[in-house]
Amino acid sequence: MISVRGLFSFFVANQAQKPRGKEASKAADELVSKPEFLNRNRERLISTMIRAARSLRLVVPHLGEEIVAPANGLASVLMMGKGFCVLDVRTQSAELALSLIRDVHHEFGIGASNEGQIVLSLVADEAVTPEGGLVRLITDVIHNACLDLPDSVLEAGRDSVEGQVQAVIARKLASNLGQYFADNQRIPLSVARHEALKAPHLVVGVEDLKSFLDKKLQKNADVLFDDLYTFDTTSTYRKGD
């Protein structure tokens, strides 16, 4: 069995990483506290996980040769059609878990930083849980989508089946993952903070940082720094400082 530690051995945090300044850390926290920024990153996260789910092999050609069931006892084929078969996604749980980690890593450009390690660790932690986790949520949606295929779609052929299943996956997962991440915010928050920490690197000094974020978040508006950033109200920047 591959341990989580072994899985992330090639993403070891850089021990020589330069400590982040208080201004950069504060700016990142304040940016994450903005609903529009958090929502934007959550939408990217959901789209990434849908892409990982749609990369699984579901509808494949079949010419009638015997297909052997896997060792876990579940039949690898869920249903048959003329010239194709629909695979049981429940036999691909391990592949899905790795795809979620891989695609999140690539989408958000996660490297050897402490924030990046937290993101990957949380995705691995929530992929499979006693309650089911992300893998169970996703495979249930795909499995039910396949079972609910009408006979007319099955009779139309492989392309029709694949198109119908992929459309249902995208629609249902967008809704189900949206609800999941509304109830379980660890991954969205960690992804948002990882992204927020990239912004302070583009500017130098507190005044430049204030100007940069004001322009990006409140275009064509007066300086509203104290209104924009309320994450830490005890040390909020004030207009005129």
Side-chain angles (χ1 to χ4, degrees), residues 3-62:
S3 67
V4 172
R5 181 178 180 182
L7 184 61
F8 297 119
S9 60
F10 53 99
F11 288 129
V12 176
N14 184 1
Q15 300 301 321
Q17 179 181 328
K18 182 180 179 181
R20 301 190 186 281
K22 291 182 179 180
E23 293 84 1
S25 183
K26 174 182 171 59
D29 287 340
E30 290 169 337
L31 194 53
V32 172
S33 74
K34 302 305 297 177
E36 59 270 25
F37 183 81
L38 180 60
N39 290 339
R40 186 163 63 249
N41 282 285
R42 181 165 50 222
E43 289 172 3
R44 283 179 64 194
L45 178 65
I46 290 172
S47 296
T48 300
M49 292 195 169
I50 291 174
R51 186 166 64 248
R54 296 179 72 175
S55 70
L56 298 174
R57 294 175 68 250
L58 296 174
V59 185
V60 298
H62 177 57

Side-chain angles (χ1 to χ4, degrees), residues 84-115:
F84 69 91
C85 61
V86 179
L87 301 181
D88 190 338
V89 71
R90 294 173 299 179
T91 66
Q92 302 182 55
S93 294
E95 182 180 349
L96 175 58
L98 291 175
S99 293
L100 293 175
I101 297 169
R102 178 197 63 215
D103 286 12
V104 168
H105 163 239
H106 287 307
E107 172 66 23
F108 294 98
I110 293 174
S113 69
N114 292 334
E115 293 78 20

Side-chain angles (χ1 to χ4, degrees), residues 126-137:
E126 294 193 26
V128 179
T129 69
E131 295 75 25
L134 289 166
V135 168
R136 174 71 64 81
L137 181 155

Side-chain angles (χ1 to χ4, degrees), residues 143-159:
H143 182 72
N144 292 331
C146 294
L147 291 181
D148 291 340
L149 286 171
D151 292 340
S152 58
V153 173
L154 287 171
E155 293 169 359
R158 176 187 174 188
D159 290 344

